[in-house]
Amino acid sequence: MSDPGEPEGGRARRGDDEPPGAFLHLPVMVDEVTSLVGGGPAGTVVDATLGGGGHSAAILDARGDVRVLGLDRDADAVAAATARLARFGDRVEIRHTPFSGLAAVLDELDEQPVAVLFDLGVSSPQLDRSDRGFAHRHDGPLDMRMDVRQPLTAATVVNTYPERDLASVLRRFGDERHAGRIARAIVAARPITTTSELAAIVIDATPAAARRGRHPARRTFQALRIEVNAELDELRTGLGAALDAVAPGGRVIVLTYHSGEDRIVKDLMREVTTAPAAPRGLPVEPEPAPFRSLARGSQPTDAELADNPRASSVRLRAVERRIGGRS
């Protein structure tokens, strides 16, 4: 999968059921997600990346026999989703926590979910607010924290990481071919305080031939965001907890937006859908894999992409725990 850079997730817009002034995230592949949840049993659906609540609202509208437990580490998203989902009353419970806290929340509530949804990446409301510092196209502080309670910011990474470590971040999380040159330019320009300063430095450090097409700073900003929010470590922890916790017949559904997170999801789902090898020399049938695959990298329809071009890089993967599988 190619690096999507900044254009992840949905675009901001206000729906008919939203309070005035609430510009929320347009959910991606909502029909496919709702259909997958609809094929599972009744019970609690965990929306592990609640955002503005778009997927949750669609799921609750489609199925009267499920409730939603929504998690998000962005306080603005929690507030927006709380307002949007208020009409569902006690069918919704929302927690301000990253999805790495999924196991702890499920233990506290004594819940075994029938579906867990992850819609990864950064949302349009985050990108479009300059004060959040996520986007290279808007001038703002070098922040990029999804949870503003955490101490690490993009400014800390940009201004304090040694050149070698900074280049490693750009290379690993942004697939940046010119990571060394860009890291060297950043270190030479310190201190850097705004997104526009950083974007200009990256442009100047990028060879002219590589400046054609998409914005030269897109990979740098993606890599810094992933580093600041420990997104890939969060994903490994949260997805592992979801696969451990989901009920028999339940589904785990993941929307990914760049190659690093998609590799993690693909590898974990391959592991749980692969049957263990039969013992050599013993006349016994091997145990079936605990999960079966439902979707292996599905993409949005052309009609959805026409309405929401930021969804161009999304891949949908989903698995179902077999009835009688370990839980």
Side-chain angles (χ1 to χ4, degrees):
M1 185 189 308
S2 61
D3 161 48
E6 181 182 308
E8 294 182 8
R11 57 180 173 82
R13 54 98 177 174
R14 187 171 70 83
D16 294 337
D17 62 336
E18 297 163 17
F23 287 85
L24 302 177
H25 187 64
L26 179 66
V28 174
M29 298 185 73
V30 66
D31 292 339
E32 292 85 348
V33 168
T34 304
S35 177
L36 283 165
V37 173
T44 297
V45 174
V46 175
D47 188 342
T49 48
L50 184 61
H55 281 116
S56 286
I59 290 166
L60 290 163
D61 278 331
R63 289 198 64 171
D65 58 353
V66 301
R67 63 185 296 270
V68 163
L69 170 60
L71 313 180
D72 208 293
R73 57 175 165 172
D74 188 325
D76 290 344
V78 168
T82 298
R84 185 175 196 172
L85 302 177
R87 64 188 175 95
F88 296 104
D90 61 6
R91 294 178 64 202
V92 178
E93 183 163 354
I94 297 174
R95 296 296 179 93
H96 182 196
T97 183
F99 52 68
S100 61
L102 173 61
V105 173
L106 293 176
D107 284 345
E108 176 195 341
L109 300 176
D110 194 24
E111 289 277 9
Q112 186 178 38
V114 298
V116 184
L117 170 66
F118 296 84
D119 182 10
L120 304 173
V122 63
S123 68
S124 290
Q126 290 168 327
L127 283 172
D128 294 339
R129 281 187 52 181
S130 61
D131 62 310
R132 299 299 298 272
F134 284 104
H136 54 71
R137 298 184 186 279
H138 304 300
D139 187 35
L142 280 172
D143 193 320
M144 301 193 191
R145 293 174 295 174
M146 292 182 177
D147 186 343
V148 297
R149 299 173 297 183
Q150 73 175 48
L152 183 65
T153 67
T156 305
V157 177
V158 166
N159 290 302
T160 69
Y161 274 29
E163 182 180 319
R164 178 180 297 180
D165 293 347
L166 187 55
S168 177
V169 167
L170 302 184
R171 196 173 292 115
R172 287 185 295 127
F173 299 149
D175 296 324
E176 176 54 69
R177 289 170 292 177
H178 308 291
R181 291 178 56 148
I182 292 170
R184 191 158 50 250
I186 288 172
V187 170
R190 288 171 173 171
I192 304 166
T193 60
T194 69
T195 54
S196 58
E197 286 180 74
L198 178 61
I201 291 163
V202 174
I203 291 171
D204 288 344
T206 302
R211 297 179 196 172
R212 303 187 186 98
R214 303 177 73 175
H215 197 290
R218 72 192 188 280
R219 296 178 186 269
T220 294
F221 274 67
Q222 174 182 288
L224 291 172
R225 190 201 80 223
I226 292 172
E227 172 71 7
V228 167
N229 296 288
E231 290 181 28
L232 301 189
D233 290 339
E234 283 277 324
L235 176 56
R236 292 184 186 95
T237 301
L239 181 54
L243 292 167
D244 285 343
V246 72
R251 282 93 187 273
V252 177
I253 305 156
V254 188
L255 296 164
T256 67
Y257 295 85
H258 67 79
S259 57
E261 62 192 18
D262 193 59
R263 279 193 297 269
I264 292 170
V265 175
K266 184 165 56 176
D267 289 347
L268 284 172
M269 288 188 170
R270 182 188 299 119
E271 182 178 328
V272 298
T273 55
T274 301
R280 183 174 296 178
L282 295 179
V284 295
E285 290 292 324
E287 288 288 326
F291 287 82
R292 70 183 184 96
S293 181
L294 299 176
R296 296 185 176 91
S298 304
Q299 295 180 261
T301 63
D302 291 342
E304 178 168 2
L305 289 176
D307 184 55
N308 187 12
R310 279 182 171 172
S312 61
S313 58
V314 71
R315 301 290 185 275
L316 185 153
R317 299 185 185 275
V319 293
E320 177 188 79
R321 184 185 291 282
R322 295 182 189 275
I323 303 295
R326 179 179 56 82
S327 60

